Amino acid sequence: MGKATVTAEPGQATIHIERVFDAPREKVFQAMTTKEIVQKWWLGPGYTVRIEELDAREGGRWKFVQTAPDGKVFNFFGTYHEVTAPERVIETFEFDGLPERGHVSMEKMELHELPGGQTKLTVTSTFFSVGDRDGMLQSGMEDGMNGTYDALDKVLAEMD
C-alpha cells in the first residue's frame, strides 16, 4: 500500500516508521512473528534470507541472516522484551552491517486496526546516539525496509 513514511528529526536518536497494510491486524501480526511466514518476505532486492531463530515471546531471541547477490552476508538479531498479540512487539535490534559493533536499538512495533480491514504499522527505533541512528539511515535501511514491506504485502494477500 505504498512506501513507508520514515521520520528522523535532527538531533533526535530515534527513527519513526509508519506503513499501512491491506490486511487485518491479526494477520499482519502472524506474518511478522511466524518463522515460516517471515522467511517468505524478509528479503532485500536480490537477497536470500535464512531465519536462524525466531522465538516471539518475552525473553525469546531472533536472528535473520541475509545474503546479498555478491555473497556478502548480513546478520540481524535481537531479543524480544514484550510480545502482546496482536498489537505490540518490543525488541532489541542489531545489524552487523554497520562499521562498528555494539549499535543496539530498542524497537517498539505497534499494529493499529483501521477501517476496511487495514492495519497501520508504527515502529519507533531508539538508538544510543544520533550517530548510531544516522549510521542506520545511511546503511540503506529505508530501501531495504520498503522492499521487505512490499514483499510482506504480497505474502499477506496470499495468506488464508
Side-chain angles (χ1 to χ4, degrees):
M1 303 234 16
K3 298 295 180 200
T5 302
V6 177
T7 306
E9 298 289 336
Q12 302 285 322
T14 58
I15 298 172
H16 185 76
I17 300 161
E18 290 188 358
R19 175 79 148 61
V20 174
F21 294 97
D22 192 18
R25 179 167 77 158
E26 291 78 11
K27 186 186 279 190
V28 176
F29 187 88
Q30 178 187 11
M32 295 182 125
T33 57
T34 305
K35 180 179 180 178
E36 296 76 21
I37 302 173
V38 172
Q39 185 98 19
K40 296 177 183 179
W41 64 265
W42 216 87
L43 307 166
Y47 287 62
T48 60
V49 67
R50 184 175 71 253
I51 308 298
E52 288 193 354
E53 190 170 10
L54 197 161
D55 184 10
R57 62 176 177 82
E58 186 175 319
R61 298 183 337 175
W62 63 276
K63 182 177 181 185
F64 305 166
V65 180
Q66 277 190 341
T67 303
D70 65 4
K72 188 166 183 174
V73 175
F74 300 98
N75 294 288
F76 301 83
F77 51 94
T79 301
Y80 292 102
H81 292 268
E82 178 187 334
V83 178
T84 304
E87 61 196 61
R88 182 175 42 254
V89 173
I90 298 174
E91 64 189 16
T92 57
F93 181 97
E94 293 187 65
F95 168 51
D96 72 0
L98 296 175
E100 300 173 18
R101 293 281 305 171
H103 297 280
V104 180
S105 65
M106 182 64 78
E107 203 167 79
K108 178 171 74 169
M109 174 192 80
E110 296 178 293
L111 298 172
H112 308 275
E113 289 186 72
L114 298 176
Q118 295 183 322
T119 301
K120 180 168 100 173
L121 165 72
T122 61
V123 177
T124 302
S125 295
T126 305
F127 296 80
F128 283 103
S129 70
V130 174
D132 284 357
R133 189 261 338 243
D134 290 348
M136 183 61 74
L137 290 168
Q138 293 163 6
S139 74
M141 174 216 89
E142 191 169 348
D143 287 341
M145 177 194 61
N146 276 309
T148 61
Y149 287 166
D150 289 347
L152 176 54
D153 267 332
K154 292 175 185 163
V155 168
L156 289 167
E158 296 168 359
M159 286 174 64
D160 292 328

